[in-house]
Structure formats: structure tokens, C-alpha cells
């Protein structure tokens, strides 16, 4: 036992998070393999893929959950979605408060400052706020969703579907129990569609955004929102608006998507597509029928993702904002990058570039391999890989037809998309090279263009 503790203590925080996900993935796969969880025998690769998709919130499925899994299997799927949605936030704050010997002082201070653990009364108080917030939002969403499902499926099944889809939406998973057509059968149901969109946006904004808004609205401790909160709210609004406009323009006359809808229905469906592309995963129109331009733009939104420290995945919207600002400042010749009249630290920018570089390399490699292995159209491969690394859940329908090797690659993308941003921030944090304190290298102008 002592040796095991010593081994665990030597692991870094990113390694511990990774092992937690891998361990949970193994348990989830084993549970989904149980005959009582399936209406018909399931292959190991399908159970593994389903568990990974639920745990990471990716939402891609190689089987139809409504057909494949029994009530027990669906409950396990729901638990994996819930655990995956909260795991990153919970693990970070637990590390900050309880695993002091495993995290450098600089990392612990960074986490405590980021989550305001001192002002919130510590780890326990923050965890309670996360759980209570999650419970309240999901409960409200379940009631509204059930109100839409009950007239169609009855009280019992309608309530169950309301709970499952509320959790799936808030955790930005996109897994549904409606037979594989996602929300297409309810495309004209404003109550359900509005509920799903609001839940997805709520989970995507992140807990820090909600807590910061609450501290300004309900308390007098802080009178101003954090710069990060302002940036998240503005960038989210911009992307939602831009996505709605572009999807509407590109799909307005497409008879296979929104072409036959009324003008109001087209705008509503475009807004729905815009919101879901950034990690929600539900759809009211066929993703395979989208025009190639819509798929390409959707892939970009999926890679960007939502806000930090929420239930969504992706590169994270703040990372994208910092990269855009860094490029703009470079064109202006400025030495510093500023966000809302606040200078951004160089280390933060380096971390943002590191995250973006990892995403770009992983996405390129996955698209390259899958395009060589699979007969699917190239744009569909790009869309599928972007959905996996952005943990978005939207698919053109090629998932079930992929070979085992391709599905394993998608699982790697799911895990990387979920863990890369936070693990790189923990690994880099406020880390400084000790050699910088004792050495000064001569400067050299390097030709780069």
C-alpha cells in the first residue's frame, strides 16, 4: 500500500487526470459489455467507443443507444455523461485543495486564484456550488423537456427522456434516446428546442462565468465582472450571431436542410445549428445534407468550442480570442497583447499557442489517417474528426461505418480534445525555466518570412 501511495504521489496533476479518465473509461466499457445492459450482444469496440463518447461528452455513437441499450445500459450511459461533464472542474479544485504534495506551489496558486477558492470558502464550498448549480439547471431543464416529451411518449417515458436529455444537453454531450435521428422529429417543437439550446449554452458558459455573474447580481462583494467573464459573454454572443447568419445564408435554399422551412423556422434552425456546433451535439436537420461550406464552418465552430471550466469541450473560446488578439497586435507592431485594457501575460499566450498547436497537429494527423483508411468524402472526415476533438457530437452519419482503427483514433481525439487544454495549463501553469535566472543569451534577428 505504501509503495502504491508513493507511486501515486509521484504522478503529476495532468497524469492523475488522465488516469482518472482512463480508469473510468475502462469501468464504463466493462459495464456496457454486460448482457443485461444490451438488447443484443455488443462488440468490445462499440462498448469502448460508446463509453468514451459519453465520458468525454463527444456524443458520437457507433450504435443507436435507444435500440442497443436496455434501461440499465442507458442509466450507465447517463452516469458517464454526468461524470464526464463535471470531472474536469471537480478534479482541478480537488487537486488544488487536497493533493498539495502532487502539485507545484505555482500550479496550486494558479488554480486557487482561477476558482477564487479563498473567497468561496475553499474546495468544499466550491464543489457544493458546482453540484447545486448543476442540479438546479438540469432539474429545470428536465421539467421543461419532459413537458415536451410527455404528450408524445406518456408520463413515465416522457419524464425519463426529459431527465436524460437535460443532463446530456447541459453536459454538452449530444447523446439522445430518440432512435438515431437526434431532434429532427421535434424540429417544430419550440419548447424542447429552446430548452435544449439554453441548457447547452448554460453548460458551455462555464461555472466560473455563472458564479461571477451571481457574485455581481446577488452580492455586493464585487461590482465588476472579471475580464474573462466579459470576454466569454461577448465572444459567445458574437459566435452565436455569426453562426446563425452564416448557416442561414448557406442553407436558406437547401431543400434537404432548412429550405422547406418558413422564414422564422429557417432562422430558428440556423440559431439551433450555430449553438449546437460549439459542443451541443443535437441537431434538427441532417448533417450529411449540409452544404460543404456549412460543414467547413461548422468544423471550425466545433474546434473552437465553448468557455473554460464548463461542461463543453473544444479549444475553448478564450484561447481563440487570445490567438486572434495576438495576431492583431502583431500586425499593429505592438509589443504586448491586451484584452479589455488588461495586459495578457506572455506565459498565458504561450499556453494558448501550445494548445492550438496540439489541436492542429492532432486534427491534421487524424484527418490524414482516416482519409487514407475510409472511403467517406473528405469533408465528412474533416467534420467527424472536428466533432471528435471538439467533443461536439455532430456527425454526418459515417461513425457506424468506420473500421475499428478509425474509431480508436476518434477516441484518442475525444480524450485529447477534452483533456489537452486543462492538462497543458496545469503542466505549464506558471512554470519557469530555472536557467532563465542565471543566463542571458545574445539576441539574433531570425528571418521567418
Amino acid at each position: 500500500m505504501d509503495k502504491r501511495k508513493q507511486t501515486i504521489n509521484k504522478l503529476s496533476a495532468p497524469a492523475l487526470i488522465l488516469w482518472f479518465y482512463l480508469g473510468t473509461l475502462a469501468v464504463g466499457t466493462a459495464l456496457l459489455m454486460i448482457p443485461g445492459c444490451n438488447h443484443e450482444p455488443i462488440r468490445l469496440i462499440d462498448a469502448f467507443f460508446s463509453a468514451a463518447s459519453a465520458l468525454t461528452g463527444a456524443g458520437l455513437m457507433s450504435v443507436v443507444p435507444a435500440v442497443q441499450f436496455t434501461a440499465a445500459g442507458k442509466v450507465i450511459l447517463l452516469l458517464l455523461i454526468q461524470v464526464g461533464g463535471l470531472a474536469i472542474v471537480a478534479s482541478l479544485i480537488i487537486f488544488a485543495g487536497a493533493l498539495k504534495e502532487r502539485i507545484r506551489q505555482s500550479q496550486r496558486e494558479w488554480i486557487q486564484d482561477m476558482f477564487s477558492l479563498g473567497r468561496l470558502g475553499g474546495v468544499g464550498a466550491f464543489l457544493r456550488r458546482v453540484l447545486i448549480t448543476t442540479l438546479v439547471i438540469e432539474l429545470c431543464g428536465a421539467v421543461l423537456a419532459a413537458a415536451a416529451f410527455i404528450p408524445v411518449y406518456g408520463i413515465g417515458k416522457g419524464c425519463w427522456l426529459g431527465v436524460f436529455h437535460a443532463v446530456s444537453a447541459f453536459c454538452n454531450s449530444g447523446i439522445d434516446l430518440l432512435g438515431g435521428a437526434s431532434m429532427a422529429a421535434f424540429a417544430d417543437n419550440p419548447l424542447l428546442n429552446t430548452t435544449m439550446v439554453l441548457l447547452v449554452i448554460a453548460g458551455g458558459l462555464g461555472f466560473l462565468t455563472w458564479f461571477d455573474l451571481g457574485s455581481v447580481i446577488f452580492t455586493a462583494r464585487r461590482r465588476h465582472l472579471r475580464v474573462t467573464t466579459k470576454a466569454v459573454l461577448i465572444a459567445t454572443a458574437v459566435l452565436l450571431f455569426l453562426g446563425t447568419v452564416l448557416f442561414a445564408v448557406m442553407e436558406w435554399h437547401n431543400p434537404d436542410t432548412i429550405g422547406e422551412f418558413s422564414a422564422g423556422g429557417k432562422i430558428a434552425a440556423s440559431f439551433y445549428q450555430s449553438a449546437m456546433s460549439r459542443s451541443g451535439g443535437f441537431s434538427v436537420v441532417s448533417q450529411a445534407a449540409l452544404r460543404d461550406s456549412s460543414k467547413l464552418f461548422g468544423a471550425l465552430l466545433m474546434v473552437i468550442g465553448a468557455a473554460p471550466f464548463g461542461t463543453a469541450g473544444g479549444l475553448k473560446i478564450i484561447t481563440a480570442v487570445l490567438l486572434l488578439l495576438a495576431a492583431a497586435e502583431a500586425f499593429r507592431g505592438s509589443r504586448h497583447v491586451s484584452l479589455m485594457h488588461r495586459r495578457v501575460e506572455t506565459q498565458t499566450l504561450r499556453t494558448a499557442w501550445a494548445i492550438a498547436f496540439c489541436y492542429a497537429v492532432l486534427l491534421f494527423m487524424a484527418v490524414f489517417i482516416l482519409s487514407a483508411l475510409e472511403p467517406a468524402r473528405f469533408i465528412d472526415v474533416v467534420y467527424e474528426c472536428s466533432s471528435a476533438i471538439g467533443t461536439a457530437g455532430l456527425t454526418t452519419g459515417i461513425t457506424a461505418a468506420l473500421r475499428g482503427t478509425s474509431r480508436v483514433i476518434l477516441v484518442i481525439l475525444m480524450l485529447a480534445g477534452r483533456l489537452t487544454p486543462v492538462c497543458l495549463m496545469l503542466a505549464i501553469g506558471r512554470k519557469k525555466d530555472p536557467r532563465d535566472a542565471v543566463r542571458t543569451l545574445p539576441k539574433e534577428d531570425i528571418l521567418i518570412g
Side-chain angles (χ1 to χ4, degrees):
M1 183 63 69
D2 291 338
K3 291 183 178 180
R4 183 180 301 177
K5 288 183 178 180
Q6 291 176 0
T7 301
I8 294 176
N9 287 338
K10 292 180 181 180
L11 293 175
S12 63
L16 284 170
I17 294 176
L18 176 60
W19 279 112
F20 168 79
Y21 267 83
L22 293 178
T24 307
L25 176 57
V27 173
T29 302
L31 291 175
L32 291 180
M33 287 290 295
I34 297 175
C37 293
N38 298 272
H39 288 296
E40 57 185 31
I42 187 172
R43 296 186 303 168
L44 176 61
I45 184 62
D46 288 323
F48 173 68
F49 192 86
S50 299
S53 184
L55 182 63
T56 59
L60 298 175
M61 299 295 288
S62 58
V63 297
V64 180
V67 177
Q68 177 64 45
F69 299 115
T70 63
K74 293 170 184 175
V75 170
I76 292 171
L77 208 61
L78 180 63
L79 293 175
L80 287 172
I81 293 172
Q82 186 72 87
V83 169
L86 301 178
I88 287 293
V89 175
S91 59
L92 273 177
I93 55 184
I94 288 174
F95 290 151
L99 306 180
K100 296 180 180 180
E101 68 277 10
R102 301 175 202 172
I103 304 180
R104 296 191 308 271
Q105 178 66 25
S106 59
Q107 290 176 324
R108 191 160 62 251
E109 291 174 352
W110 173 79
I111 298 173
Q112 289 172 333
D113 178 67
M114 179 62 67
F115 286 98
S116 302
L117 292 181
R119 290 187 291 272
L120 294 175
V123 173
F126 192 91
L127 273 175
R128 284 193 296 273
R129 294 188 72 180
V130 168
L131 294 176
I132 292 174
T133 302
T134 300
L135 179 62
V136 170
I137 293 178
E138 290 180 348
L139 182 60
C140 293
V143 171
L144 294 175
F149 286 127
I150 287 175
V152 180
Y153 297 101
I155 295 179
K157 187 175 181 180
C159 290
W160 160 242
L161 290 176
V163 171
F164 187 96
H165 290 89
V167 174
S168 183
F170 181 70
C171 292
N172 279 238
S173 171
I175 296 177
D176 68 88
L177 299 180
L178 302 179
S182 193
M183 296 291 174
F186 293 87
D188 58 350
N189 191 312
L191 174 61
L192 182 61
N193 292 333
T194 301
T195 300
M196 293 295 101
V197 167
L198 291 178
L199 285 171
V200 166
I201 293 176
L205 285 177
F207 293 104
L208 295 183
T209 301
W210 285 111
F211 295 163
D212 196 31
L213 286 170
S215 69
V216 172
I217 296 173
F218 300 111
T219 70
R221 295 180 181 178
R222 295 205 349 253
R223 297 182 180 179
H224 302 287
L225 292 174
R226 287 183 173 184
V227 170
T228 301
T229 301
K230 294 178 183 178
V232 165
L233 294 175
I234 294 174
T236 298
V238 169
L239 285 181
L240 285 173
F241 175 77
L242 184 63
T244 300
V245 172
L246 290 181
F247 278 124
V249 169
M250 292 183 288
E251 300 295 325
W252 194 269
H253 298 293
N254 185 351
D256 297 323
T257 55
I258 66 174
E260 303 300 324
F261 293 4
S262 64
K266 291 178 181 180
I267 295 174
S270 298
F271 177 76
Y272 192 95
Q273 180 73 22
S274 176
M276 294 302 173
S277 293
R278 293 191 34 249
S279 201
F282 296 106
S283 61
V284 293
V285 297
S286 170
Q287 301 301 293
L290 292 173
R291 302 190 190 279
D292 288 355
S293 55
S294 296
K295 293 177 182 177
L296 186 60
F297 180 69
L300 175 62
L301 290 180
M302 289 189 284
V303 171
I304 291 175
F309 304 114
T311 59
L315 184 69
K316 296 296 186 283
I317 195 169
I318 291 298
T319 302
V321 168
L322 291 181
L323 296 181
L324 183 62
L325 290 176
E329 295 296 344
F331 285 119
R332 293 174 54 189
S334 175
R335 296 178 56 188
H336 302 291
V337 175
S338 61
L339 176 61
M340 296 185 180
H341 308 291
R342 296 291 189 276
R343 186 168 61 87
V344 181
E345 292 188 4
T346 302
Q347 190 66 24
T348 302
L349 291 174
R350 289 178 178 175
T351 304
W353 282 113
I355 295 172
F357 177 78
C358 289
Y359 264 66
V361 170
L362 288 170
L363 185 58
F364 172 83
M365 293 178 62
V367 170
F368 178 80
I369 295 174
L370 262 67
S371 62
L373 294 178
E374 305 295 339
R377 296 178 64 220
F378 180 76
I379 188 62
D380 290 342
V381 172
V382 172
Y383 200 74
E384 200 80 4
C385 291
S386 300
S387 181
I389 199 169
T391 65
L394 294 177
T395 176
T396 57
I398 68 174
T399 306
L402 297 177
R403 62 187 69 192
T405 303
S406 298
R407 294 185 198 176
V408 171
I409 292 174
L410 288 183
V411 169
I412 294 174
L413 284 182
M414 294 175 193
L415 290 170
R418 189 66 175 158
L419 302 180
T420 295
V422 69
C423 286
L424 276 181
M425 284 188 290
L426 275 175
I428 299 174
R430 296 174 177 173
K431 185 177 181 180
K432 297 180 179 179
D433 190 339
R435 294 176 298 177
D436 290 342
V438 296
R439 68 175 182 177
T440 300
L441 297 178
K443 295 181 179 179
E444 178 70 25
D445 291 329
I446 306 297
L447 185 63
I448 61 174

